[in-house]
Coordinates of all heavy atoms in Angstrom, one line a residue:
M1 N 0.8 -1.2 0.0 CA 0.0 0.0 0.0 C 0.9 1.3 0.0 O 1.8 1.4 0.8 CB -0.8 0.0 1.3 CG -1.9 -1.0 1.3 SD -3.4 -0.4 0.6 CE -4.1 0.5 2.0
P2 N 0.6 2.2 -0.9 CA 1.4 3.4 -0.8 C 1.0 4.3 0.4 O -0.1 4.2 0.9 CB 1.0 4.1 -2.1 CG -0.3 3.5 -2.6 CD -0.4 2.1 -2.0
E3 N 1.9 5.1 0.8 CA 1.7 6.1 1.9 C 0.9 7.2 1.2 O 1.4 7.9 0.3 CB 3.0 6.6 2.5 CG 2.9 7.8 3.4 CD 2.0 7.5 4.6 OE1 2.3 6.6 5.4 OE2 1.0 8.2 4.7
V4 N -0.3 7.6 1.7 CA -1.1 8.6 1.1 C -1.5 9.7 2.0 O -2.2 10.6 1.6 CB -2.4 8.0 0.4 CG1 -2.0 7.1 -0.8 CG2 -3.2 7.3 1.4
V5 N -1.1 9.6 3.3 CA -1.6 10.6 4.3 C -0.6 11.7 4.5 O -0.9 12.8 4.6 CB -2.0 9.9 5.6 CG1 -2.4 10.9 6.7 CG2 -3.1 8.9 5.4
K6 N 0.7 11.2 4.6 CA 1.8 12.2 4.9 C 3.0 11.9 4.0 O 3.0 10.9 3.3 CB 2.2 12.1 6.4 CG 2.6 10.7 6.8 CD 2.8 10.7 8.3 CE 3.5 9.4 8.7 NZ 2.8 8.2 8.4
C7 N 3.9 12.9 3.9 CA 5.1 12.7 3.1 C 5.8 11.4 3.5 O 6.1 11.2 4.7 CB 6.0 13.9 3.3 SG 7.6 13.7 2.4
V8 N 6.1 10.6 2.5 CA 6.7 9.3 2.8 C 8.1 9.4 3.3 O 8.7 8.5 3.9 CB 6.6 8.4 1.5 CG1 7.5 8.9 0.4 CG2 6.8 6.9 1.8
S9 N 8.8 10.6 3.0 CA 10.2 10.8 3.4 C 10.3 11.5 4.8 O 11.0 11.0 5.7 CB 10.9 11.6 2.4 OG 11.0 11.0 1.2
C10 N 9.6 12.6 5.0 CA 9.8 13.4 6.2 C 8.5 13.4 7.1 O 8.6 13.9 8.2 CB 10.2 14.8 5.9 SG 8.9 15.8 5.2
G11 N 7.4 12.9 6.7 CA 6.2 12.9 7.5 C 5.4 14.1 7.5 O 4.4 14.3 8.2
S12 N 5.8 15.1 6.7 CA 5.1 16.4 6.7 C 3.7 16.2 6.1 O 3.5 15.3 5.2 CB 5.9 17.4 5.8 OG 5.1 18.5 5.5
K13 N 2.8 17.0 6.5 CA 1.4 17.0 5.9 C 1.2 18.3 5.1 O 0.1 18.5 4.7 CB 0.4 16.8 7.0 CG 0.5 15.5 7.6 CD -0.7 15.2 8.6 CE -0.6 13.8 9.1 NZ -1.7 13.5 10.1
E14 N 2.2 19.1 4.9 CA 2.1 20.3 4.1 C 2.6 20.1 2.7 O 3.6 19.4 2.5 CB 2.9 21.4 4.8 CG 2.5 21.7 6.2 CD 1.1 22.3 6.4 OE1 0.8 23.2 5.6 OE2 0.4 21.8 7.3
K15 N 2.0 20.8 1.7 CA 2.5 20.9 0.4 C 2.8 19.5 -0.2 O 3.8 19.2 -0.8 CB 3.8 21.7 0.3 CG 3.5 23.2 0.6 CD 4.6 24.1 0.0 CE 4.2 25.5 0.2 NZ 5.2 26.4 -0.4
L16 N 1.8 18.6 -0.1 CA 1.9 17.3 -0.6 C 1.5 17.3 -2.1 O 0.3 17.1 -2.4 CB 1.1 16.3 0.2 CG 1.5 16.2 1.7 CD1 0.5 15.4 2.5 CD2 2.9 15.6 1.8
E17 N 2.4 17.6 -2.9 CA 2.0 17.9 -4.3 C 2.7 16.9 -5.3 O 2.6 17.1 -6.5 CB 2.4 19.3 -4.7 CG 1.6 20.3 -4.0 CD 2.1 21.8 -4.1 OE1 3.2 22.0 -4.8 OE2 1.5 22.7 -3.5
Y18 N 3.2 15.8 -4.8 CA 3.9 14.9 -5.7 C 3.7 13.5 -5.2 O 3.4 13.2 -4.0 CB 5.4 15.1 -5.6 CG 5.8 16.5 -6.1 CD1 5.8 17.6 -5.2 CD2 6.1 16.7 -7.5 CE1 6.1 18.9 -5.7 CE2 6.4 18.0 -7.9 CZ 6.4 19.1 -7.0 OH 6.7 20.3 -7.5
F19 N 3.7 12.5 -6.2 CA 3.6 11.1 -5.9 C 4.9 10.5 -6.3 O 5.4 10.6 -7.4 CB 2.5 10.4 -6.6 CG 2.3 9.0 -6.1 CD1 1.4 8.7 -5.1 CD2 2.9 8.0 -6.8 CE1 1.2 7.4 -4.7 CE2 2.8 6.7 -6.4 CZ 1.9 6.4 -5.3
S20 N 5.6 9.8 -5.4 CA 6.9 9.1 -5.7 C 6.7 7.7 -6.0 O 6.2 6.9 -5.2 CB 7.9 9.3 -4.5 OG 9.0 8.4 -4.7
I21 N 7.1 7.3 -7.2 CA 7.0 5.9 -7.6 C 8.0 5.1 -6.9 O 7.8 4.0 -6.4 CB 7.2 5.8 -9.1 CG1 6.1 6.5 -9.9 CG2 7.2 4.3 -9.6 CD1 4.7 6.1 -9.7
K22 N 9.2 5.6 -6.8 CA 10.3 4.9 -6.1 C 10.1 4.6 -4.7 O 10.3 3.5 -4.2 CB 11.6 5.8 -6.3 CG 12.8 5.2 -5.7 CD 14.1 6.0 -6.1 CE 14.2 7.3 -5.5 NZ 14.5 7.3 -4.1
D23 N 9.5 5.6 -3.9 CA 9.3 5.4 -2.5 C 7.9 5.1 -2.1 O 7.5 5.0 -1.0 CB 9.8 6.7 -1.8 CG 11.3 6.9 -1.8 OD1 12.0 5.8 -2.0 OD2 11.8 8.0 -1.7
N24 N 7.1 4.9 -3.2 CA 5.7 4.3 -2.9 C 4.9 5.2 -2.0 O 4.4 4.8 -1.0 CB 5.9 2.9 -2.3 CG 4.6 2.2 -2.4 OD1 3.7 2.5 -3.2 ND2 4.4 1.1 -1.6
G25 N 4.7 6.5 -2.4 CA 3.9 7.3 -1.6 C 3.9 8.8 -2.0 O 4.7 9.1 -2.9
I26 N 3.1 9.6 -1.3 CA 3.2 11.0 -1.7 C 4.4 11.7 -1.0 O 4.9 11.2 0.0 CB 1.8 11.7 -1.2 CG1 1.5 11.4 0.2 CG2 0.7 11.3 -2.1 CD1 0.3 12.2 0.8
K27 N 4.8 12.8 -1.6 CA 5.9 13.6 -1.1 C 5.6 15.0 -1.0 O 4.9 15.6 -1.9 CB 7.1 13.3 -1.9 CG 7.9 12.1 -1.6 CD 9.3 12.0 -2.1 CE 9.9 10.7 -1.7 NZ 11.3 10.6 -2.2
C28 N 6.2 15.7 -0.1 CA 6.1 17.2 0.0 C 7.0 17.8 -1.0 O 7.9 17.1 -1.6 CB 6.4 17.6 1.4 SG 8.1 17.5 1.9
E29 N 6.8 19.1 -1.2 CA 7.6 19.8 -2.2 C 9.1 19.7 -1.9 O 9.9 19.4 -2.9 CB 7.2 21.3 -2.1 CG 7.6 22.1 -3.3 CD 7.1 23.6 -3.1 OE1 6.9 24.0 -2.0 OE2 7.0 24.2 -4.2
N30 N 9.6 19.8 -0.7 CA 11.0 19.7 -0.4 C 11.6 18.4 -0.7 O 12.6 18.3 -1.4 CB 11.2 20.0 1.1 CG 11.5 21.4 1.4 OD1 11.8 22.2 0.5 ND2 11.3 21.8 2.6
C31 N 11.0 17.3 -0.3 CA 11.5 16.0 -0.5 C 11.5 15.5 -1.9 O 12.3 14.8 -2.4 CB 10.8 14.9 0.4 SG 10.9 15.2 2.1
S32 N 10.5 16.1 -2.7 CA 10.4 15.7 -4.1 C 11.6 16.2 -4.9 O 11.8 15.7 -6.0 CB 9.1 16.2 -4.6 OG 9.1 17.6 -4.7
K33 N 12.2 17.2 -4.4 CA 13.4 17.8 -5.1 C 14.5 16.7 -5.3 O 15.3 16.8 -6.2 CB 13.9 19.0 -4.4 CG 13.0 20.2 -4.6 CD 13.6 21.4 -3.7 CE 12.6 22.5 -3.7 NZ 12.8 23.4 -2.5
F34 N 14.6 15.8 -4.4 CA 15.7 14.8 -4.5 C 15.2 13.5 -5.1 O 15.9 12.5 -5.0 CB 16.2 14.6 -3.0 CG 16.5 15.8 -2.3 CD1 15.6 16.3 -1.3 CD2 17.6 16.6 -2.6 CE1 15.9 17.5 -0.6 CE2 17.9 17.8 -1.9 CZ 17.0 18.2 -0.9
D35 N 14.1 13.5 -5.7 CA 13.5 12.2 -6.2 C 13.1 12.4 -7.6 O 12.2 13.2 -7.9 CB 12.3 11.9 -5.3 CG 11.7 10.5 -5.7 OD1 12.0 10.0 -6.8 OD2 11.0 9.9 -4.9
K36 N 13.7 11.7 -8.5 CA 13.4 11.9 -9.9 C 12.2 11.1 -10.4 O 11.8 11.2 -11.5 CB 14.6 11.5 -10.8 CG 15.8 12.4 -10.7 CD 16.8 12.2 -11.8 CE 17.8 13.3 -11.9 NZ 19.0 13.0 -11.1
S37 N 11.7 10.3 -9.5 CA 10.5 9.4 -9.9 C 9.2 10.0 -9.6 O 8.2 9.4 -9.7 CB 10.6 8.0 -9.2 OG 10.3 8.1 -7.9
V38 N 9.2 11.3 -9.1 CA 7.9 11.9 -8.7 C 7.1 12.4 -9.8 O 7.6 12.8 -10.9 CB 8.1 13.1 -7.7 CG1 8.6 12.6 -6.3 CG2 9.0 14.1 -8.3
I39 N 5.8 12.3 -9.7 CA 4.8 12.8 -10.6 C 4.1 13.9 -9.9 O 3.6 13.7 -8.8 CB 3.8 11.7 -11.1 CG1 4.6 10.6 -11.8 CG2 2.7 12.4 -12.0 CD1 3.7 9.4 -12.0
R40 N 4.0 15.1 -10.5 CA 3.2 16.2 -9.9 C 1.7 15.9 -9.9 O 1.2 15.5 -10.9 CB 3.5 17.5 -10.6 CG 3.3 18.6 -9.7 CD 3.4 20.0 -10.3 NE 2.7 20.8 -9.3 CZ 3.3 21.7 -8.6 NH1 4.5 22.0 -8.8 NH2 2.6 22.4 -7.7
I41 N 1.1 16.1 -8.8 CA -0.4 15.9 -8.7 C -1.0 17.1 -8.0 O -0.4 17.7 -7.2 CB -0.7 14.6 -7.9 CG1 -0.1 14.6 -6.5 CG2 -0.3 13.4 -8.6 CD1 -0.5 13.5 -5.5
N42 N -2.2 17.4 -8.5 CA -3.0 18.5 -7.8 C -3.8 18.0 -6.7 O -3.8 16.8 -6.4 CB -3.8 19.3 -8.9 CG -4.9 18.5 -9.4 OD1 -5.5 17.7 -8.8 ND2 -5.3 18.8 -10.7
N43 N -4.4 18.9 -6.0 CA -5.2 18.5 -4.8 C -6.3 17.5 -5.0 O -6.4 16.5 -4.3 CB -5.8 19.7 -4.1 CG -5.3 19.9 -2.7 OD1 -4.8 19.0 -2.1 ND2 -5.4 21.1 -2.2
S44 N -7.0 17.6 -6.1 CA -8.1 16.7 -6.4 C -7.5 15.3 -6.7 O -8.1 14.3 -6.3 CB -8.9 17.2 -7.7 OG -9.3 18.5 -7.5
T45 N -6.4 15.3 -7.4 CA -5.8 14.0 -7.6 C -5.3 13.3 -6.3 O -5.5 12.1 -6.1 CB -4.6 14.1 -8.6 OG1 -5.0 14.9 -9.7 CG2 -4.0 12.8 -9.1
L46 N -4.8 14.1 -5.4 CA -4.4 13.6 -4.1 C -5.6 13.0 -3.4 O -5.5 11.9 -2.9 CB -3.7 14.7 -3.3 CG -3.4 14.3 -1.9 CD1 -2.4 13.2 -1.8 CD2 -2.8 15.5 -1.1
Y47 N -6.7 13.7 -3.4 CA -7.9 13.2 -2.7 C -8.4 11.9 -3.4 O -8.8 10.9 -2.7 CB -9.0 14.2 -2.7 CG -8.8 15.3 -1.7 CD1 -8.6 16.6 -2.0 CD2 -8.6 15.0 -0.3 CE1 -8.4 17.6 -1.1 CE2 -8.4 15.9 0.6 CZ -8.3 17.3 0.2 OH -8.0 18.2 1.2
A48 N -8.3 11.9 -4.7 CA -8.7 10.6 -5.4 C -7.8 9.5 -5.1 O -8.3 8.4 -4.8 CB -8.7 10.9 -6.9
I49 N -6.5 9.7 -5.0 CA -5.6 8.6 -4.7 C -5.9 8.2 -3.2 O -5.9 7.0 -3.0 CB -4.1 9.1 -4.8 CG1 -3.8 9.3 -6.3 CG2 -3.1 8.1 -4.2 CD1 -2.4 10.0 -6.5
R50 N -6.1 9.1 -2.3 CA -6.4 8.7 -0.9 C -7.7 7.9 -0.9 O -7.8 6.9 -0.2 CB -6.6 10.0 -0.1 CG -5.3 10.6 0.4 CD -5.6 11.8 1.2 NE -4.4 12.3 1.7 CZ -4.2 13.6 2.2 NH1 -5.2 14.4 2.2 NH2 -3.0 13.9 2.6
Y51 N -8.7 8.3 -1.7 CA -9.9 7.6 -1.7 C -9.8 6.2 -2.2 O -10.3 5.3 -1.6 CB -10.9 8.4 -2.6 CG -12.3 7.8 -2.5 CD1 -13.2 8.3 -1.6 CD2 -12.7 6.9 -3.5 CE1 -14.5 7.8 -1.5 CE2 -14.0 6.4 -3.4 CZ -14.9 6.8 -2.4 OH -16.1 6.3 -2.4
I52 N -9.0 6.1 -3.2 CA -8.8 4.7 -3.8 C -8.0 3.8 -2.9 O -8.4 2.7 -2.7 CB -8.0 4.9 -5.2 CG1 -8.9 5.5 -6.2 CG2 -7.5 3.5 -5.7 CD1 -8.2 6.0 -7.4
V53 N -7.0 4.4 -2.3 CA -6.1 3.5 -1.4 C -6.9 3.2 -0.1 O -6.7 2.1 0.4 CB -4.8 4.3 -1.1 CG1 -4.0 3.5 0.0 CG2 -4.0 4.4 -2.3
M54 N -7.7 4.1 0.4 CA -8.3 3.9 1.7 C -9.7 3.3 1.7 O -10.2 2.8 2.7 CB -8.3 5.2 2.5 CG -6.9 5.7 2.8 SD -6.9 7.4 3.3 CE -6.6 7.2 5.1
S55 N -10.3 3.3 0.5 CA -11.6 2.7 0.5 C -11.5 1.2 0.2 O -10.6 0.7 -0.4 CB -12.4 3.2 -0.7 OG -12.6 4.6 -0.5
D56 N -12.6 0.5 0.6 CA -12.6 -0.9 0.2 C -13.1 -1.0 -1.2 O -13.8 -0.1 -1.7 CB -13.3 -1.8 1.2 CG -14.8 -1.7 1.2 OD1 -15.4 -2.0 0.2 OD2 -15.3 -1.3 2.2
A57 N -12.8 -2.1 -1.9 CA -13.1 -2.2 -3.3 C -14.5 -2.0 -3.7 O -14.8 -1.4 -4.8 CB -12.6 -3.6 -3.8
K58 N -15.5 -2.4 -2.9 CA -16.9 -2.3 -3.2 C -17.3 -0.8 -3.4 O -18.2 -0.5 -4.1 CB -17.7 -2.9 -2.1 CG -17.7 -4.4 -2.2 CD -18.5 -5.0 -1.1 CE -18.1 -6.5 -0.9 NZ -18.4 -7.0 0.4
K59 N -16.7 0.1 -2.6 CA -17.1 1.5 -2.6 C -16.5 2.2 -3.9 O -16.9 3.3 -4.1 CB -16.7 2.2 -1.4 CG -17.4 1.7 -0.2 CD -16.9 2.5 1.1 CE -17.5 1.9 2.3 NZ -16.7 2.3 3.5
L60 N -15.6 1.6 -4.5 CA -14.9 2.3 -5.6 C -15.7 2.5 -6.8 O -15.3 3.3 -7.7 CB -13.6 1.5 -6.0 CG -12.4 1.8 -5.1 CD1 -11.2 1.0 -5.6 CD2 -12.1 3.3 -5.2
F61 N -16.9 2.0 -6.9 CA -17.7 2.2 -8.1 C -18.2 3.6 -8.2 O -18.6 4.0 -9.3 CB -18.8 1.2 -8.1 CG -18.3 -0.2 -8.4 CD1 -18.2 -1.2 -7.5 CD2 -18.0 -0.6 -9.7 CE1 -17.7 -2.4 -7.7 CE2 -17.5 -1.8 -10.0 CZ -17.4 -2.8 -9.0
S62 N -18.3 4.3 -7.1 CA -18.9 5.6 -7.2 C -18.0 6.7 -6.6 O -17.9 6.9 -5.4 CB -20.3 5.6 -6.4 OG -20.0 5.2 -5.1
F63 N -17.3 7.4 -7.5 CA -16.7 8.6 -7.1 C -16.4 9.4 -8.3 O -16.2 8.9 -9.4 CB -15.5 8.4 -6.2 CG -14.2 8.0 -6.9 CD1 -13.2 8.9 -7.1 CD2 -14.0 6.7 -7.4 CE1 -12.0 8.6 -7.7 CE2 -12.9 6.4 -8.0 CZ -11.8 7.3 -8.2
S64 N -16.4 10.7 -8.2 CA -16.1 11.5 -9.3 C -15.0 12.5 -9.0 O -14.8 13.0 -7.9 CB -17.4 12.3 -9.8 OG -17.8 13.1 -8.7
I65 N -14.2 12.8 -10.0 CA -13.1 13.8 -9.9 C -13.1 14.7 -11.1 O -13.6 14.3 -12.1 CB -11.7 13.1 -9.8 CG1 -11.5 12.1 -10.9 CG2 -11.6 12.4 -8.5 CD1 -10.1 11.6 -11.0
P66 N -12.6 15.9 -10.9 CA -12.6 16.8 -12.1 C -11.7 16.3 -13.2 O -10.8 15.5 -13.0 CB -12.0 18.1 -11.5 CG -11.6 17.8 -10.1 CD -12.0 16.4 -9.7
N67 N -12.1 16.7 -14.4 CA -11.3 16.3 -15.6 C -9.8 16.5 -15.5 O -9.0 15.7 -15.9 CB -11.9 17.0 -16.8 CG -13.1 16.3 -17.4 OD1 -13.3 15.1 -17.0 ND2 -13.9 17.0 -18.1
S68 N -9.5 17.6 -14.8 CA -8.1 18.0 -14.7 C -7.3 16.9 -14.0 O -6.1 16.8 -14.2 CB -7.9 19.3 -14.0 OG -8.5 19.2 -12.7
S69 N -8.0 16.2 -13.1 CA -7.3 15.2 -12.3 C -7.3 13.8 -13.0 O -6.5 12.9 -12.6 CB -8.0 15.0 -11.0 OG -7.7 16.1 -10.2
V70 N -8.2 13.6 -14.0 CA -8.3 12.3 -14.6 C -7.0 11.9 -15.2 O -6.5 10.8 -15.0 CB -9.5 12.2 -15.6 CG1 -9.4 10.9 -16.4 CG2 -10.8 12.4 -14.9
E71 N -6.4 12.8 -16.0 CA -5.1 12.5 -16.7 C -4.0 12.3 -15.7 O -3.2 11.4 -15.9 CB -4.8 13.6 -17.7 CG -5.7 13.8 -18.9 CD -5.9 12.4 -19.6 OE1 -4.9 11.8 -19.9 OE2 -7.0 12.1 -19.9
E72 N -3.9 13.1 -14.6 CA -2.9 12.8 -13.6 C -3.1 11.5 -13.0 O -2.1 10.8 -12.7 CB -3.0 13.9 -12.5 CG -2.4 15.3 -13.0 CD -2.5 16.3 -11.9 OE1 -2.9 16.0 -10.8 OE2 -2.2 17.5 -12.2
L73 N -4.3 11.2 -12.7 CA -4.6 9.9 -12.0 C -4.2 8.7 -12.9 O -3.6 7.7 -12.5 CB -6.1 9.9 -11.6 CG -6.5 8.8 -10.6 CD1 -5.7 8.9 -9.3 CD2 -8.0 8.9 -10.4
K74 N -4.5 8.9 -14.2 CA -4.2 7.8 -15.2 C -2.7 7.6 -15.2 O -2.2 6.5 -15.2 CB -4.6 8.2 -16.6 CG -6.1 7.9 -16.9 CD -6.3 8.2 -18.4 CE -7.8 8.2 -18.7 NZ -8.0 8.8 -20.0
L75 N -1.9 8.7 -15.2 CA -0.5 8.7 -15.3 C 0.1 8.0 -14.0 O 0.9 7.1 -14.1 CB 0.1 10.1 -15.5 CG 1.6 10.2 -15.5 CD1 2.1 9.5 -16.8 CD2 2.1 11.6 -15.5
V76 N -0.4 8.4 -12.9 CA 0.1 7.8 -11.6 C -0.2 6.3 -11.6 O 0.7 5.5 -11.3 CB -0.5 8.5 -10.4 CG1 -0.1 7.8 -9.1 CG2 0.0 10.0 -10.3
S77 N -1.4 6.0 -11.9 CA -1.8 4.5 -11.9 C -1.0 3.7 -12.9 O -0.5 2.6 -12.5 CB -3.3 4.3 -12.3 OG -4.0 5.4 -11.8
K78 N -0.8 4.3 -14.1 CA 0.0 3.6 -15.1 C 1.4 3.3 -14.7 O 1.9 2.2 -14.7 CB -0.1 4.4 -16.4 CG 0.6 3.7 -17.6 CD 0.4 4.6 -18.8 CE 1.1 4.0 -20.0 NZ 2.6 4.1 -19.9
V79 N 2.1 4.4 -14.3 CA 3.5 4.3 -13.9 C 3.6 3.4 -12.6 O 4.5 2.6 -12.5 CB 4.1 5.7 -13.6 CG1 5.6 5.6 -13.2 CG2 4.0 6.5 -14.9
Y80 N 2.7 3.6 -11.7 CA 2.8 2.8 -10.5 C 2.6 1.3 -10.8 O 3.4 0.5 -10.3 CB 1.6 3.3 -9.5 CG 1.6 2.6 -8.2 CD1 2.4 3.0 -7.2 CD2 0.7 1.5 -7.9 CE1 2.4 2.4 -6.0 CE2 0.7 0.9 -6.7 CZ 1.6 1.4 -5.7 OH 1.6 0.7 -4.5
L81 N 1.6 1.0 -11.6 CA 1.4 -0.4 -11.9 C 2.6 -1.0 -12.7 O 3.0 -2.1 -12.4 CB 0.1 -0.6 -12.7 CG -1.1 -0.6 -11.8 CD1 -2.4 -0.6 -12.7 CD2 -1.2 -1.7 -10.8
E82 N 3.1 -0.2 -13.6 CA 4.3 -0.7 -14.4 C 5.4 -1.0 -13.5 O 6.1 -2.0 -13.6 CB 4.7 0.3 -15.5 CG 3.8 0.1 -16.7 CD 4.0 1.3 -17.7 OE1 4.9 2.1 -17.5 OE2 3.3 1.3 -18.7
E83 N 5.7 -0.1 -12.5 CA 6.8 -0.3 -11.6 C 6.5 -1.5 -10.7 O 7.4 -2.3 -10.5 CB 6.8 1.0 -10.7 CG 7.7 0.8 -9.5 CD 9.2 0.9 -9.8 OE1 9.6 1.2 -10.9 OE2 10.0 0.7 -8.9
K84 N 5.3 -1.7 -10.3 CA 5.0 -2.9 -9.4 C 5.1 -4.2 -10.2 O 5.5 -5.2 -9.7 CB 3.6 -2.8 -8.8 CG 3.5 -1.6 -7.8 CD 4.6 -1.6 -6.8 CE 4.8 -0.2 -6.2 NZ 6.0 0.0 -5.4
L85 N 4.7 -4.1 -11.5 CA 4.7 -5.3 -12.3 C 6.1 -5.8 -12.5 O 6.5 -6.9 -12.6 CB 4.0 -5.1 -13.6 CG 2.5 -4.9 -13.5 CD1 1.9 -4.5 -14.9 CD2 1.8 -6.2 -13.1
E86 N 7.0 -4.8 -12.7 CA 8.4 -5.1 -13.0 C 9.0 -5.8 -11.8 O 10.0 -6.6 -11.9 CB 9.2 -3.8 -13.2 CG 9.4 -3.5 -14.7 CD 10.2 -2.2 -14.9 OE1 11.0 -1.9 -14.0 OE2 9.9 -1.6 -15.9
K87 N 8.5 -5.5 -10.6 CA 9.1 -6.1 -9.4 C 8.5 -7.5 -9.1 O 8.7 -8.1 -8.1 CB 8.9 -5.2 -8.2 CG 9.8 -4.0 -8.3 CD 9.6 -3.1 -7.0 CE 10.6 -2.0 -7.1 NZ 10.4 -0.9 -6.2
G88 N 7.7 -8.0 -10.1 CA 7.3 -9.4 -10.0 C 5.8 -9.7 -9.7 O 5.4 -10.8 -9.6
Y89 N 5.1 -8.6 -9.5 CA 3.7 -8.8 -9.3 C 3.0 -9.0 -10.6 O 2.4 -8.0 -11.2 CB 3.0 -7.7 -8.5 CG 3.6 -7.5 -7.1 CD1 4.6 -6.6 -6.8 CD2 3.0 -8.3 -6.1 CE1 5.1 -6.5 -5.6 CE2 3.5 -8.1 -4.8 CZ 4.5 -7.2 -4.5 OH 5.0 -7.1 -3.3
R90 N 3.1 -10.1 -11.2 CA 2.5 -10.3 -12.5 C 1.1 -10.8 -12.4 O 0.8 -11.9 -11.9 CB 3.4 -11.3 -13.3 CG 4.8 -10.9 -13.5 CD 4.9 -9.8 -14.6 NE 4.3 -10.3 -15.8 CZ 4.9 -10.9 -16.8 NH1 6.2 -11.2 -16.7 NH2 4.3 -11.3 -17.9
F91 N 0.2 -10.0 -13.0 CA -1.2 -10.4 -13.0 C -1.5 -11.7 -13.7 O -2.3 -12.5 -13.2 CB -2.1 -9.3 -13.6 CG -2.2 -8.1 -12.7 CD1 -2.0 -6.8 -13.2 CD2 -2.5 -8.2 -11.4 CE1 -2.0 -5.7 -12.4 CE2 -2.6 -7.1 -10.6 CZ -2.4 -5.8 -11.1
D92 N -0.8 -11.9 -14.8 CA -1.0 -13.2 -15.5 C -0.7 -14.4 -14.7 O -1.4 -15.4 -14.7 CB -0.3 -13.2 -16.9 CG 1.2 -13.0 -16.8 OD1 1.6 -12.5 -15.7 OD2 1.9 -13.3 -17.7
K93 N 0.4 -14.3 -13.9 CA 0.8 -15.4 -13.0 C -0.3 -15.6 -11.9 O -0.6 -16.7 -11.5 CB 2.1 -15.1 -12.4 CG 3.3 -15.5 -13.3 CD 4.6 -15.3 -12.6 CE 5.7 -15.4 -13.6 NZ 7.0 -14.9 -13.1
V94 N -0.8 -14.5 -11.4 CA -1.8 -14.6 -10.3 C -3.0 -15.3 -10.8 O -3.6 -16.2 -10.2 CB -2.1 -13.2 -9.8 CG1 -3.3 -13.2 -8.8 CG2 -0.9 -12.5 -9.1
I95 N -3.4 -14.9 -12.0 CA -4.6 -15.5 -12.6 C -4.4 -17.0 -12.9 O -5.2 -17.8 -12.5 CB -5.0 -14.8 -13.9 CG1 -5.5 -13.3 -13.6 CG2 -6.1 -15.5 -14.7 CD1 -5.5 -12.4 -14.7
Q96 N -3.2 -17.3 -13.4 CA -3.0 -18.7 -13.8 C -2.9 -19.6 -12.5 O -3.4 -20.7 -12.5 CB -1.6 -18.8 -14.5 CG -1.8 -18.5 -16.0 CD -0.5 -18.5 -16.7 OE1 0.6 -18.8 -16.1 NE2 -0.5 -18.0 -17.9
S97 N -2.4 -19.0 -11.4 CA -2.2 -19.8 -10.2 C -3.6 -20.2 -9.6 O -3.7 -21.1 -8.8 CB -1.4 -19.1 -9.2 OG -2.1 -18.0 -8.7
K98 N -4.6 -19.5 -10.0 CA -6.0 -19.8 -9.5 C -6.7 -20.9 -10.2 O -7.7 -21.4 -9.8 CB -6.8 -18.5 -9.5 CG -6.4 -17.6 -8.4 CD -7.4 -16.4 -8.4 CE -7.0 -15.4 -7.2 NZ -7.8 -14.2 -7.3
K99 N -6.1 -21.3 -11.4 CA -6.8 -22.4 -12.1 C -6.7 -23.7 -11.4 O -5.7 -24.0 -10.8 CB -6.2 -22.5 -13.5 CG -6.7 -21.4 -14.4 CD -6.1 -21.5 -15.8 CE -6.6 -20.3 -16.7 NZ -5.8 -20.2 -17.9
Ligands
ZN101 ZN1 8.8 15.5 2.9

């Protein structure tokens, strides 16, 4: 699970405007300067990410975010999943193992 409440590096709750793929969580403005894997996210995107991470799967069918956040959210999800897949969480293997 990614850290979505506070900065994954320093614990700050201010200026959380970035998502770090490398460190698996949101980062404040200061800490993001030293991390090349961060994606800039706006406030709505941050709330959407929190909602997704903290809700159980059944509630995920109903939520709406502004269009400006949809693209950011897509980018974060895509890069995040690609990173996790590279580390061995292969969905095809998971599916096959259930047969
Ligand atoms: Zn920080």
